[in-house]
Amino acid sequence: MIAAIGNSEYLSRRTAPLLRELNGTDAPLLVGTDHPNGARAAARAEGVEIIDRDAVLSAPDVDAVYVSSATGRHFDDCSAALAAGKHVLVEKPVCLTAAEARALDSMARARDLTVFECLSYPYHPAWTAFLAEVRAAAWSGPVSVSAVFRIPGREPTDFRRHPRHGRAAADLGTYCLDALVRLGAAAEDLRIGVVLLEDLEADGGVAVASRPVDGHTFTYTGTWTIGDTYANAVVVADRRRRLELLRVFSPPVDAPRQVVERRPGAPEPAVVATSEPVNATRACLTAGARHLRDTGTAGLVGCPALVRRIAALEGATAALPA
């Protein structure tokens, strides 16, 4: 049975019902927190039973834990779950430093357990369709590849704004870097810059890299901001065409997604691929559950790639001022 640690808003709003589906039972999802008496009543109404964190870790019928705590607590919570003999599903990013990622991999392998990072968007068929269109195109340089994720400002108490939890770089920056790497960027080549504008309550950053591909220069740019207007898209473009996937990092669960092509002089954009409505979070959790059930899988799934991505962002997530 899967239980959870950390009573996040995302868990109660989106993930808890899906974890109950995976458990195949109508019983409430057990959620462990260090402050069980302060948990929101709304969470209980959504089929969640709030109990003490250690009670989840010691429960004999719990064999896997979904970690939904604030980002800076991921490593400690994952380590505690592994020490208790539980497999781990953990919200992205799995942790804030490359050393922590390697330590979790070693700890899981030593115990024949699995750690799976839940980053949902790549499991949506719209992303698969977008990648297929990009790879099939005959691009002529220079080619720009961009990923942008901007959200309106959060309260100062929001964990996404706290240095301990990596600020916007850990939350939004993870999406942007992950997409750029999947589109061909080398994580170790990405140069990261961070922008903090406390008076304007803005927190953002940029990642940039370039590399030659088939005789053309591909330039990769990722930008993320908390405290700006909303934006959520991945775009690949040259002088002749522009491929766009909007709402890529948080695709709606109840609407089809479209890959759009724009060409100079064309009166309207053309839809080149359409995917059916899919709950990307469900698809991601289902994939994670398969890894947990696979007795041949141990350690942090995709560890080398995750370590490179985390290392690329580490300066931005670890060296931010309080």
Side-chain angles (χ1 to χ4, degrees):
M1 181 176 74
I2 302 173
I5 292 177
N7 188 31
S8 73
E9 182 272 340
Y10 186 79
L11 174 68
S12 59
R13 174 174 58 87
R14 178 70 65 86
T15 316
L18 303 177
L19 294 174
R20 292 175 68 203
E21 282 185 19
L22 289 175
N23 283 337
T25 175
D26 292 332
L29 177 74
L30 296 180
V31 176
T33 173
D34 292 335
H35 308 286
N37 293 330
R40 295 173 299 160
R44 298 187 187 96
E46 295 295 327
V48 169
E49 181 181 349
I50 306 297
I51 63 175
D52 185 77
R53 174 180 176 273
D54 290 341
V56 164
L57 296 177
S58 62
D61 57 342
V62 171
D63 55 14
V65 170
Y66 177 85
V67 174
S68 188
S69 51
T71 310
R73 294 198 54 171
H74 283 184
F75 177 73
D76 289 343
D77 285 339
C78 289
S79 298
L82 292 172
K86 318 295 187 186
H87 297 290
V88 176
L89 301 165
V90 54
E91 293 176 356
K92 62 84 190 121
V94 59
C95 51
L96 292 177
T97 72
E100 289 175 343
R102 294 189 189 98
L104 289 177
D105 182 59
S106 296
M107 190 182 307
R109 290 181 183 278
R111 292 163 173 78
D112 197 26
L113 296 168
T114 300
V115 179
F116 180 84
E117 183 190 68
C118 297
L119 182 61
S120 297
Y121 84 92
Y123 294 89
H124 198 288
W127 174 256
T128 303
F130 182 76
L131 277 183
E133 291 290 333
V134 170
R135 290 169 178 167
W139 300 103
S140 60
V143 181
S144 65
V145 181
S146 65
V148 58
F149 204 177
R150 300 197 304 264
I151 60 174
R154 293 293 196 266
E155 294 295 326
T157 54
D158 191 300
F159 78 92
R160 297 171 185 84
R161 302 194 57 127
H162 198 288
R164 178 188 177 189
H165 304 301
R167 294 200 186 237
D171 186 45
L172 306 180
T174 292
Y175 284 109
C176 293
L177 260 67
D178 190 83
L180 294 180
V181 169
R182 292 175 188 272
L183 287 164
E188 56 271 21
D189 291 343
L190 288 162
R191 301 183 300 279
I192 311 295
V194 176
V195 178
L196 293 174
L197 301 172
E198 297 297 346
D199 292 342
L200 300 178
E201 297 185 349
D203 172 6
V206 60
V208 180
S210 63
R211 64 184 305 190
V213 179
D214 297 330
H216 304 302
T217 299
F218 278 62
T219 300
Y220 300 88
T221 306
T223 57
W224 58 90
T225 312
I226 293 176
D228 203 344
T229 55
Y230 185 80
N232 181 344
V234 176
V235 176
V236 180
D238 63 10
R239 295 188 182 93
R240 299 179 302 168
R241 67 189 308 209
R242 174 185 173 96
L243 289 176
E244 301 177 352
L245 179 59
L246 305 181
R247 288 293 302 269
V248 57
F249 300 126
S250 57
V253 300
D254 57 353
R257 311 303 305 138
Q258 296 178 334
V259 179
V260 171
E261 178 188 74
R262 301 179 188 272
R263 289 185 178 270
E268 299 289 340
V271 176
V272 295
T274 301
S275 71
E276 69 277 11
V278 168
N279 187 324
T281 303
R282 176 185 284 112
C284 178
L285 290 173
T286 300
R290 284 197 296 267
H291 281 288
L292 304 193
R293 292 194 299 266
D294 181 359
T295 57
T297 300
L300 174 59
V301 177
C303 182
L306 291 181
V307 165
R308 289 193 294 271
R309 191 198 71 207
I310 291 168
L313 272 176
E314 193 168 329
T317 59
L320 291 166

